[in-house]
Amino acid sequence: MKAPEKSKIFRDIRVERITSKLKISDLNDLCDAADSAILAGGGFGWVKMPERQAMERYWQGVNAVPNRILLVARLEGVIAGALQIIRPQLNNEAQRTSVQFAHHFTAPWARKSGIAKALLLEGEAIARDEGYEVINLDVRETMSAAIKLYEGQGYTLMGIHPAYAKVNDDMVKGHYYYKILN
């Protein structure tokens, strides 16, 4: 499906929790959105775009992991972003009240539409509804829009890792955040 025009004003954002196998059209949209985010430098861990088959296997496997929740955001019907909520392992009694937000991204064509914030707020609501008290997340220092979003939504910077990731032979710092849910 073709992405909406970049100059268009976006109004139709819908965040969904994926609980079953992805439909082929949704898998394609999700892979396309992830591919474009990777190429734009915001690929949630990937620096170079993987082969399509690897990307498809990755997304198909997310729902197979019992402690993960996959949220996707649709912009005018097209999946344009995602967020994963990672619950603690059952044997991790000490951290049973904390979740990790990971792999939060928006396709470049959908940036500034509100998708990233919509995903974040829905993730927080789910974490709160499931009884979690703390959200942890981390992000590369190069992701200035994400840092601005997290700090604007009340996430507290708890530390900076000086050798967080290596991107194109350059060591990149990582910012670690937390938010206590009320």
Side-chain angles (χ1 to χ4, degrees):
M1 181 174 245
K2 188 178 178 198
E5 294 298 320
K6 193 171 187 176
S7 63
K8 191 170 185 180
I9 296 173
F10 299 113
R11 300 193 191 284
D12 181 21
I13 297 173
R14 193 171 78 240
V15 177
E16 300 172 20
R17 181 176 180 170
I18 303 295
T19 58
S20 59
K21 185 178 177 182
L22 286 161
K23 296 183 289 185
I24 294 296
S25 60
D26 287 347
L27 179 60
N28 285 328
D29 283 354
L30 194 50
C31 288
D32 289 346
D35 286 349
S36 65
I38 292 165
L39 288 173
F44 56 93
W46 271 300
V47 176
K48 296 177 183 150
M49 197 167 61
E51 291 186 21
R52 184 60 170 227
Q53 213 171 29
M55 181 66 79
E56 288 176 358
R57 281 194 310 271
Y58 171 78
W59 289 116
Q60 289 167 332
V62 168
N63 277 341
V65 181
N67 69 328
R68 289 195 183 234
I69 297 171
L70 175 60
L71 299 179
V72 299
R74 294 180 191 275
L75 186 56
E76 300 186 0
V78 179
I79 293 177
L83 170 79
Q84 291 180 45
I85 304 171
I86 305 172
R87 298 180 186 110
Q89 296 293 327
L90 293 177
N91 66 330
N92 191 347
E93 185 179 359
Q95 292 178 328
R96 72 183 178 279
T97 61
S98 299
V99 292
Q100 177 82 22
F101 282 8
H103 313 298
H104 183 200
F105 74 93
T106 301
W109 59 264
R111 291 185 181 156
K112 298 187 188 280
S113 68
I115 278 196
K117 184 176 179 180
L119 283 162
L120 188 65
L121 294 176
E122 182 63 19
E124 289 177 6
I126 289 170
R128 198 176 286 110
D129 289 348
E130 290 196 2
Y132 293 102
E133 299 171 17
V134 180
I135 297 169
N136 296 301
L137 60 84
D138 54 86
V139 63
R140 286 186 230 155
E141 70 175 338
T142 56
M143 314 290 261
S144 56
I147 289 169
K148 183 177 178 181
L149 171 65
Y150 299 142
E151 291 177 355
Q153 292 303 306
Y155 286 77
T156 301
L157 178 66
M158 66 177 145
I160 296 177
H161 187 317
Y164 174 77
K166 196 166 191 176
V167 178
N168 302 323
D169 297 326
D170 293 324
M171 198 56 71
V172 176
K173 293 177 186 174
H175 291 216
Y176 286 79
Y177 290 91
Y178 73 93
K179 183 173 185 176
I180 299 187
L181 300 173
N182 297 332

